[in-house]
Structure formats: structure tokens, C-alpha cells
Amino acid sequence: TYFEEATEHVATIEAALLSLEEQAGDREVLDAIFRAAHSVKGGSGIFGLTAIGEFTHALESVLDRLREGELSCTRDLVDLLLQANDVLRGLLASARTGVAEPGERDAVLTCLGQVLAG
């Protein structure tokens, strides 16, 4: 059930991020993305899926700064968030089926960290 719900949340995140391209900084859209990421992170903790939890925590931190107006909603940032969502999808697939984790996980995590560091 967790994986089915998480997959729905990832789809919600993707659709909302794509709408951000037209509605940059829309608080309702940002809140929806944050809630979906938070749900994925929360469930990962319950089931001991550490890689998903750690990655989603970094994603959530960037989203929170966007919601608070501490970051600008630029095209580059939306692109990074879309990449992060793709990695999250891959991490879920890895945890569910045992396939290898996405190779770009560390690079995207580094980029999220750089955004947070300014």
C-alpha cells in the first residue's frame, strides 16, 4: 500500500511542478507538492526506507524554503525539482523491486544541498 500511495504522490508532485512553470511561486501549488513529499517521507520512516527518507528530507527542505519565499521559483529550480522527483520515483522502484538505485541520486542530492546553502 505504501508504494502505491507513494507512486500517486510522485505523480502529484510532477503534475504540480509542471504547473509551477506557469504559476511560479503559487503557494497552493507549493503546499500540495510539500504535502505529497512529506507523505512519502513519513511512510518511508515507518517502513525503514532510509534512502527514500533522507532524499525526500532534502527535497522537502528546498520546498519549504520556496513556500516561505526564501528561494525564488526559477526555471532552473523547477528543473532540479523535476529531476529530484525522477530520482524519488527511482528510489521507490529500487525499494519495491530491488533494482539499482538511480545513478544520479548523489548528484541531485548535492544540487539540492547547494540550493539550501545558497
Side-chain angles (χ1 to χ4, degrees):
T1 301
Y2 167 74
F3 290 111
E4 291 170 10
E5 289 178 4
T7 300
E8 290 174 16
H9 290 308
V10 167
T12 297
I13 292 169
E14 183 173 10
L17 284 171
L18 292 172
S19 77
L20 265 185
E21 293 177 337
E22 298 172 11
Q23 305 169 17
D26 184 302
R27 179 64 189 232
E28 288 183 32
V29 174
L30 290 170
D31 285 345
I33 297 168
F34 183 87
R35 280 190 307 273
H38 187 73
S39 294
V40 172
K41 184 183 87 172
S44 71
I46 292 169
F47 296 108
L49 303 171
T50 307
I52 294 170
E54 290 173 355
F55 187 84
T56 310
H57 178 73
L59 174 60
E60 200 178 47
S61 295
V62 171
L63 292 168
D64 194 40
R65 299 228 3 234
L66 264 172
R67 290 188 325 157
E68 297 303 320
E70 296 171 18
L71 292 173
S72 297
C73 189
T74 64
R75 172 74 182 157
D76 287 341
L77 184 54
V78 171
D79 286 345
L80 174 60
L81 294 172
L82 284 166
Q83 288 176 346
N85 197 52
D86 288 343
V87 169
L88 181 56
R89 183 180 287 114
L91 288 170
L92 288 164
S94 174
R96 186 176 197 173
T97 65
V99 299
E101 287 187 1
E104 60 276 350
R105 175 189 179 269
D106 291 340
V108 172
L109 195 54
T110 297
C111 289
L112 292 171
Q114 289 171 339
V115 167
L116 291 169

